[in-house]
């Protein structure tokens, strides 16, 4: 009992339910290991008693971080303050846009009062202050402006407390209803000018074309986070070195203003020829996208570009960027510089360099000043091209623009874990528990944030991460959005089955998300596929976080299990036919994805059984499409079926409809096949036609198949009546 109570006090689960009728106990040694990662020693019964007594004896006037929602009741931490307490809210100047520098805003002071009693008071006694109306804060509360502030409380018996106060709007901005757009893995989108993989120039071009030519409202891309360097680099965009800064491998080099002033034109010409050869190999010779080779060419070109002096205006812009990004950018750039010298895993660096604030690191910072500046400049250039892509989308009339993707975590050896060591639970990895689809569970190799450190620091790292990502976004997709509520922690060296859930303060995580997105004017899409705890989708919807609905998974699971009719889909979601982790629509319709998994030895049943089950599933959907007159009966044409699938998506009430760009040209290959590593070229395939021949951005946008599909999604314009004809 003692261990369970101690675990509960720290948000560590001692059991979990993979299904409503099943409860699984978590091994004690897992609970002890997770508590240790949170700084709690529970190794022996005596340790448990000692930590439990200390935890239960602590009485906090305020938790480290308090959340208030505009127009809503105060949280218990504030509503329950002793009457007469003095409450002072000290707004932070940095969180008040437009506030004059050097002149801190005046604090808001108020005094807590007792709540009105439930029963009427006796005649002749003074009437108490009226209780606040439902959904409103008490009369004594002065609502601070949206932002992250400091709150100070002093009781009448002189107890004091200070905490971070997150004041958030009640809901996120919402995208225009009925908007459609493309989903694409940017590296896979090569144009005629690409250097071996898709880049930010290609993204801007796709957005400009899609908005103007087919009326798209957004383009959603994979995470563009900085990768851990190395040979070979981990190609997965979901295991980055840093989520705070983008990777300069995505730069379109020729678009950099200084590029045209490089003196050594012969060297640039040689690099461009090598880049053309890389693209030629991918597009016409069956080669995979080679991120390392692309980066080596771009790095050499960027070294030449960095030798060109910045103009006064460009220099001023760069200096502003450095000031805005502050210590976070300096740490990231220093990690990049140190990785060039000592390798990409900071755990193997000389001991003096393993801490970002050590004297040895300070000396290295001075010695590597030029390289630190180089990596800072790359971050600035990349941010500039991200901004240009969003401007291109807006100029093309897109109602949303570029939808960026936030990975669920970072690589354990990367820049974020080095610069924010205290914020991560070292020796732990994020994953997923066993379920009906994966009896062994999953270990993603990503160290989790410590919820206690996040709260104690006012969620500073999380706020900085969101602010950076949202700066040049029209919307944000959050991978595994359930991680705002809880994450499955797996102790190092143990199988995923030996993990457990650790809870996060979802109210605070959501408040920070809503606040930062509100400031940026962006909407948020949560990837809420898979195991979702009760109440999570409802909590996300209440704050305006859209969900993700994939056609093949949308069935009446609480009823007959049949495909869900379009009018029964939820409204607040992004509706799609597939994702980067799932088969393309053509592969799903033909069963190609089953034969692919059979060739790779991934099936748990015979090929015949799998094909039969898959055919049955697909046939049910096609029958529904036929009944709804979206697919002509007996029409076995694959393109017609793909159009029918998207016609169905358009019929749902979903706010956003996403089209997987490879679907527009009949690509049959998944970009990522979960459960594989070397067996399949995950994250390295260009978009291809049905025969597997790669196609360029120029060929995609000219494809008759694409234009036929987009006609399904194009809003119908009112018919203009000919002269003399009366409109009905």
């Amino acid at each position: 009992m003692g261990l369970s109570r101690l675990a509960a006090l720290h948000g560590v689960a001692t059991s979990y339910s993979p299904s409503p009728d099943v409860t699984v106990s978590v091994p004690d040694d897992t609970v002890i290991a997770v508590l240790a990662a949170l700084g709690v020693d529970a190794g022996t019964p005596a340790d448990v008693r000692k930590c439990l007594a200390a935890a239960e004896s602590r009485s906090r006037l305020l938790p480290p971080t308090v959340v208030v929602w505009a127009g809503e009741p105060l949280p218990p931490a504030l509503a329950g303050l002793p009457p007469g307490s003095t409450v002072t809210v000290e707004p932070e100047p940095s969180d008040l846009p437009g506030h004059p520098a050097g002149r801190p805003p005046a604090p808001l002071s108020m005094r807590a009062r007792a709540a009105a009693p439930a029963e009427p008071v006796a005649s002749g006694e003074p009437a108490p202050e009226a209780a606040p109306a439902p959904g409103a804060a008490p009369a004594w509360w002065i609502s601070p402006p949206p932002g992250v502030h400091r709150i100070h409380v002093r009781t009448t018996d002189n107890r004091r407390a200070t905490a971070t106060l997150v004041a958030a709007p009640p809901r996120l901005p919402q995208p225009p209803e009925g908007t459609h757009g493309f989903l694409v893995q940017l590296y896979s989108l090569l144009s005629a000018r690409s250097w071996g993989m898709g880049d930010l120039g290609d993204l801007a071009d796709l957005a400009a074309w899609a908005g103007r030519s087919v009326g798209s409202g957004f383009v959603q891309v994979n995470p563009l986070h900085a990768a851990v360097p190395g040979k070979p680099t981990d190609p997965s965009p979901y295991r980055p070195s840093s989520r705070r800064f983008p990777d300069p491998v995505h730069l379109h080099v020729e678009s950099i203003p200084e590029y045209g002033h490089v003196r050594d034109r012969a060297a640039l010409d040689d690099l461009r020829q090598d880049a053309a050869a890389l693209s030629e190999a991918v597009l016409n010779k069956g080669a995979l996208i080679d991120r390392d080779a692309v980066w080596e060419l771009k790095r050499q070109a960027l070294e030449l570009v960095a030798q060109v002096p910045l103009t006064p205006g460009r220099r001023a812009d760069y200096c502003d960027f450095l000031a805005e990004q502050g210590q976070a950018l300096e740490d990231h750039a220093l990690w990049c510089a140190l990785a060039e010298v000592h390798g990409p895993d900071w755990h193997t660096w000389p001991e003096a360099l393993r801490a970002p604030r050590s004297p040895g690191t300070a000396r290295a910072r001075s010695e590597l000043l030029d390289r630190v500046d180089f990596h800072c400049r790359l971050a600035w250039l990349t941010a500039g091209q991200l901004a240009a892509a969003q401007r291109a989308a807006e100029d093309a009339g897109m109602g949303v623009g570029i939808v960026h993707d936030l990975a669920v975590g970072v690589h354990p050896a990367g820049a974020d874990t080095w610069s924010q060591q205290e914020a991560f639970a070292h020796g732990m990895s994020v994953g997923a528990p066993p379920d009906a689809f994966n009896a062994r569970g999953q270990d993603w190799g990503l160290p989790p944030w410590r919820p206690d450190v996040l709260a104690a620091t006012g969620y500073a790292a999380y706020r900085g991460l969101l602010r950076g990502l949202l700066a040049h976004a029209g919307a944000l997709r959050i991978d595994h959005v359930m991680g705002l509520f809880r994450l499955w922690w797996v102790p190092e060296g143990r199988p995923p089955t030996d993990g457990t859930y650790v809870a996060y303060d979802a109210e605070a995580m959501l408040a920070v998300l809503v606040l930062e997105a509100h400031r940026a004017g962006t909407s948020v899409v949560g990837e809420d596929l898979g195991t979702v705890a009760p109440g999570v989708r409802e909590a996300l919807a209440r704050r305006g976080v859209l969900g993700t609905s994939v056609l093949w998974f949308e069935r009446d699971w609480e009823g007959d299990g049949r495909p869900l009719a379009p009018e029964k889909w939820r409204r607040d979601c992004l509706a799609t036919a597939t994702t980067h982790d799932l088969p393309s629509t053509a592969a799903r319709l033909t069963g190609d994805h089953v034969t692919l998994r059979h060739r790779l030895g991934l099936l748990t049943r015979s090929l015949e059984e799998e094909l039969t089950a898959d055919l049955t599933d697909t046939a049910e959907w096609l029958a529904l499409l036929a009944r709804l007159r979206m697919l002509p009966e007996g029409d076995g044409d694959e393109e017609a079926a793909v159009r029918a699938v998207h016609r169905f998506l358009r019929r749902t009430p979903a706010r956003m409809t996403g089209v997987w760009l490879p679907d527009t040209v009949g690509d049959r290959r998944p970009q990522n096949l979960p459960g594989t590593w070397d067996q399949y070229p995950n994250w390295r395939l260009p978009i291809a036609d049905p025969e597997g021949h790669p196609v360029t951005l120029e060929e995609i946008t000219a494809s008759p198949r694409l234009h036929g599909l987009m006609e399904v999604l194009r809003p119908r314009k009112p018919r203009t009546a000919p002269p003399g004809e009366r409109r009905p």
Side-chain angles (χ1 to χ4, degrees):
M1 283 295 294
L3 182 62
S4 296
R5 285 166 55 202
L6 184 62
L9 288 172
H10 292 86
V12 179
T14 53
S15 66
Y16 66 97
S17 298
S19 59
D21 56 342
V22 176
T23 299
V24 178
S25 295
V26 175
D28 284 354
D29 55 353
T30 293
V31 175
I32 292 169
V34 170
L35 285 170
L38 292 168
V40 180
D41 184 0
T44 67
D47 292 330
V48 170
R49 290 192 295 271
K50 179 180 177 181
C51 290
L52 191 58
E56 292 180 335
S57 66
R58 283 194 296 268
S59 176
R60 293 187 62 100
L61 192 57
L62 287 178
T65 296
V66 180
V67 170
V68 293
W69 300 94
E72 297 186 12
L74 291 184
L78 295 179
L81 287 174
S85 298
T86 300
V87 181
T88 304
V89 175
E90 180 185 352
E92 292 183 359
S94 62
D95 281 310
L96 294 177
H99 189 84
R103 295 177 56 194
L108 305 172
S109 295
M110 57 206 90
R111 190 176 295 277
R113 302 174 187 171
E119 299 296 327
V121 296
S123 176
E125 293 185 10
E129 182 176 308
W140 62 266
W141 176 253
I142 303 173
S143 296
V148 180
H149 316 301
R150 296 296 288 170
I151 184 169
H152 308 277
V153 172
R154 185 177 49 140
T155 65
T156 54
D157 59 357
N158 211 32
R159 287 184 294 147
R160 299 171 184 264
T162 296
T164 298
L165 177 69
V166 180
R171 275 176 65 82
L172 286 156
Q174 297 296 290
E177 289 209 38
T179 187
H180 67 78
F182 292 110
L183 319 176
V184 63
Q185 299 281 293
L186 181 56
Y187 58 83
S188 71
L189 181 68
L190 280 74
S191 69
R193 64 181 187 176
S194 300
W195 283 33
M197 63 182 279
D199 58 41
L200 291 171
D202 298 322
L203 176 59
D205 206 40
L206 174 65
W209 169 82
R212 288 184 166 88
S213 299
V214 294
S216 295
F218 66 91
V219 175
Q220 178 181 299
V221 295
N222 55 285
L224 304 182
H225 309 320
V228 177
K231 292 188 178 180
T233 298
D234 185 344
S236 172
Y238 291 92
R239 202 162 180 250
S241 169
S242 172
R243 295 188 294 175
R244 175 65 181 80
F245 295 100
D247 199 309
V249 76
H250 300 113
L251 281 168
H252 180 242
V253 178
E254 292 99 323
S255 294
I256 300 171
E258 289 73 37
Y259 179 88
H261 301 279
V262 171
R263 291 186 177 181
D264 193 347
R265 306 308 300 180
L268 279 184
D269 289 343
D270 288 344
L271 291 171
R272 289 180 64 182
Q273 289 179 13
D274 290 343
L278 275 181
S279 289
E280 171 69 13
V282 171
L283 294 172
N284 295 310
K285 297 181 180 178
L288 298 175
I289 292 170
D290 188 340
R291 182 191 182 105
D292 295 330
V294 172
W295 173 237
E296 180 57 26
L297 294 179
K298 289 192 176 183
R299 184 195 61 76
Q300 293 180 47
L302 292 166
E303 299 276 7
L304 295 171
V305 168
Q307 296 173 15
V308 177
L310 297 175
T311 65
R314 293 271 290 165
R315 169 63 61 182
D317 186 65
Y318 179 42
C319 290
D320 283 351
F321 180 79
L322 294 175
E324 289 166 3
Q325 303 302 318
Q327 187 70 55
L329 175 59
E330 188 175 337
D331 286 344
H332 174 72
L334 177 58
W335 182 91
C336 293
L338 288 169
E340 291 176 336
V341 178
H342 301 288
D345 185 349
W346 61 268
H347 299 91
T348 66
W349 292 355
E351 190 171 350
L353 302 177
R354 294 178 195 171
R357 304 288 172 259
S358 72
T361 301
R363 286 192 298 273
R365 194 183 304 263
S366 298
E367 294 165 358
L368 297 171
L369 200 57
D370 287 346
R371 298 307 298 169
V372 171
D373 180 69
F374 175 69
H375 290 289
C376 285
R377 186 179 291 203
L378 296 188
W380 169 61
L381 293 173
T382 311
Q385 291 195 5
L386 287 170
Q390 178 63 14
R391 283 195 302 272
E394 292 171 349
D395 291 346
M398 285 191 166
V400 176
I402 308 303
V403 182
H404 288 284
D405 197 351
L406 172 61
V408 70
V410 293
H411 196 287
D416 282 2
T417 58
W418 177 75
S419 61
Q420 303 169 14
Q421 293 178 37
E422 69 287 345
F424 288 92
H426 301 282
M428 294 288 143
S429 177
V430 173
D435 57 30
F437 301 100
N438 195 327
R440 299 175 183 173
Q442 299 176 59
D443 183 345
W444 302 331
L446 308 169
W449 264 337
R450 285 181 53 166
D452 56 330
V453 174
L454 285 177
T457 57
Y459 294 83
Y462 178 49
R463 286 188 280 135
L465 167 62
L466 290 174
R467 197 167 297 186
L469 281 171
L470 294 170
H472 309 300
L476 180 67
R477 174 191 182 269
I478 299 181
D479 191 43
H480 193 71
V481 72
M482 296 82 78
L484 300 180
F485 295 76
R486 65 179 186 178
L487 284 172
W488 183 258
W489 287 22
V490 181
E492 190 175 277
R494 301 189 188 186
T497 49
D498 285 355
T500 190
Y501 280 112
V502 175
Y504 291 76
D505 185 343
E507 194 80 349
M509 299 289 278
L510 280 171
V512 171
L513 174 65
V514 171
L515 173 64
E516 294 299 338
H518 179 80
R519 286 171 162 166
T522 58
S523 49
V524 176
V525 177
E527 185 268 295
D528 57 350
L529 305 174
T531 302
V532 183
V536 167
R537 286 197 175 104
E538 293 77 7
L540 292 170
R542 186 165 62 250
R543 297 304 172 195
V545 179
L546 303 184
T548 301
S549 294
V550 178
L551 180 131
W552 310 101
F553 302 153
E554 291 296 311
R555 290 175 172 268
D556 183 9
W557 297 114
E558 296 181 1
D560 58 12
R562 309 285 287 185
L564 202 61
E567 66 274 9
K568 293 184 178 180
W569 283 44
R570 53 180 168 170
R571 174 170 171 263
D572 294 328
C573 74
L574 166 65
T576 72
T578 189
T579 74
H580 58 268
D581 283 333
L582 296 172
S584 70
T585 305
R588 175 82 66 172
L589 292 168
T590 59
D592 283 5
H593 68 110
V594 177
T595 55
L596 171 62
R597 292 172 60 229
H598 171 67
R599 288 200 306 271
L600 297 175
L602 299 176
L603 298 184
T604 56
R605 296 182 292 181
S606 70
L607 176 60
E608 292 73 19
E609 289 176 301
E610 290 281 353
L611 283 172
T612 299
D614 188 69
L615 177 62
T616 301
D617 182 87
T618 303
E620 286 186 335
W621 278 102
L622 293 177
L624 175 59
L625 297 177
R627 286 198 303 273
L628 295 173
R629 299 183 181 277
M630 296 179 182
L631 179 68
E633 270 192 64
D635 191 338
D637 179 69
E638 176 194 303
E639 288 189 44
V642 172
R643 289 195 297 271
V645 163
H646 288 85
R647 191 176 288 117
F648 178 95
L649 294 176
R650 196 63 165 157
R651 179 84 65 88
T652 72
R655 279 186 173 272
M656 302 173 71
T657 303
V659 179
W660 179 235
L661 191 61
D663 272 352
T664 66
V665 289
D667 198 345
R668 281 165 161 67
R669 305 177 303 179
Q671 282 293 315
N672 178 52
L673 192 58
T676 63
W677 182 248
D678 291 334
Q679 309 100 304
Y680 187 80
N682 296 318
W683 319 113
R684 290 172 286 175
L685 292 172
I687 297 174
D689 64 16
E691 286 72 44
H693 187 275
V695 288
T696 63
L697 171 60
E698 293 82 2
E699 292 168 328
I700 293 170
T701 57
S703 165
R705 180 166 179 156
L706 177 145
H707 285 277
L709 176 58
M710 298 314 292
E711 281 298 319
V712 168
L713 298 172
R714 190 187 300 275
R716 292 186 180 276
K717 296 181 179 179
R719 187 173 69 89
T720 302
E725 177 182 329
R726 296 184 61 183
R727 296 188 59 183

